[in-house]
Amino acid sequence: MDEADIRILRVMQEDATLSVAAVADHVHLSHNACWRRIKRLEEVGVISRRVTLLDPAALGLDMTIFVTIRASEHSEEWLQGFATVVRSIPEVVEFYRMTGEIDYLLKLRVQNITAYDAVYKQLIKAVRLTDVSAAFAMEELKHTTALPLLGALTAKS
């Protein structure tokens, strides 16, 4: 990756609906050169997909909840079952295995407490857990899908 690739990625992270011609104009490249670079970035997996970002509030998903989970066991079989259940719950928008006191962290987007309670009941019905705790976000102060690209040149070198 070089500076031109970084410029392309910055533009596309802000608006992936731009045509190749518009991206090329923004980054000061010919349309063909820009198209080739975008295709290469897709082929090597830097651009993994292009999606539409939805406004959760416009869809009535006003609550963001962070759920911390301590597992009752740590076998591969248990993890596979747990991961399958969590991945099947649409309200879970992010899912991480953690180090430290907490084994798993889930980020949920739901309409209300009742919707959260339904997710909670799905979890405890599906697998044995030691502890499930929830923290309700009061205010979103920053949210971005754009990745920091400052270190991308040195990381790929």
Side-chain angles (χ1 to χ4, degrees), residues 37-88:
R37 285 175 177 270
I38 290 170
K39 287 298 172 198
R40 184 179 45 76
L41 290 166
E42 289 174 333
E43 288 166 4
V44 300
V46 172
I47 298 173
S48 60
R49 60 189 169 145
R50 301 182 204 188
V51 299
T52 299
L53 300 177
L54 306 177
D55 181 349
L59 297 168
L61 301 170
D62 295 320
M63 294 188 80
T64 301
I65 304 170
F66 295 92
V67 178
T68 57
I69 294 175
R70 288 190 8 223
S72 60
E73 65 176 276
H74 298 278
S75 70
E76 182 67 26
E77 182 180 324
W78 183 92
L79 173 57
Q80 291 305 318
F82 178 60
T84 298
V85 168
V86 172
R87 288 182 185 123
S88 75

Side-chain angles (χ1 to χ4, degrees), residues 17-141:
T17 66
L18 292 175
S19 67
V20 172
V23 173
D25 290 343
H26 276 83
V27 301
H28 310 294
L29 288 174
S30 73
H31 299 175
N32 285 339
C34 186
W35 179 83
R36 283 192 305 274
R37 285 175 177 270
I38 290 170
K39 287 298 172 198
R40 184 179 45 76
L41 290 166
E42 289 174 333
E43 288 166 4
V44 300
V46 172
I47 298 173
S48 60
R49 60 189 169 145
R50 301 182 204 188
V51 299
T52 299
L53 300 177
L54 306 177
D55 181 349
L59 297 168
L61 301 170
D62 295 320
M63 294 188 80
T64 301
I65 304 170
F66 295 92
V67 178
T68 57
I69 294 175
R70 288 190 8 223
S72 60
E73 65 176 276
H74 298 278
S75 70
E76 182 67 26
E77 182 180 324
W78 183 92
L79 173 57
Q80 291 305 318
F82 178 60
T84 298
V85 168
V86 172
R87 288 182 185 123
S88 75
I89 301 171
E91 292 86 354
V92 178
V93 296
E94 295 181 39
F95 176 33
Y96 302 94
R97 188 166 55 91
M98 308 294 288
T99 63
E101 297 282 322
I102 301 302
D103 295 314
Y104 300 94
L105 175 67
L106 284 63
K107 179 180 175 183
L108 281 63
R109 290 303 304 230
V110 296
Q111 299 91 346
N112 52 39
I113 296 290
T114 303
Y116 165 69
D117 190 47
V119 171
Y120 170 81
K121 288 176 180 174
Q122 270 184 277
L123 287 170
I124 63 169
K125 181 180 177 184
V127 292
R128 231 173 77 107
L129 303 169
T130 299
D131 182 59
V132 179
S133 298
F136 297 80
M138 300 294 292
E139 179 181 10
E140 184 176 272
L141 300 173

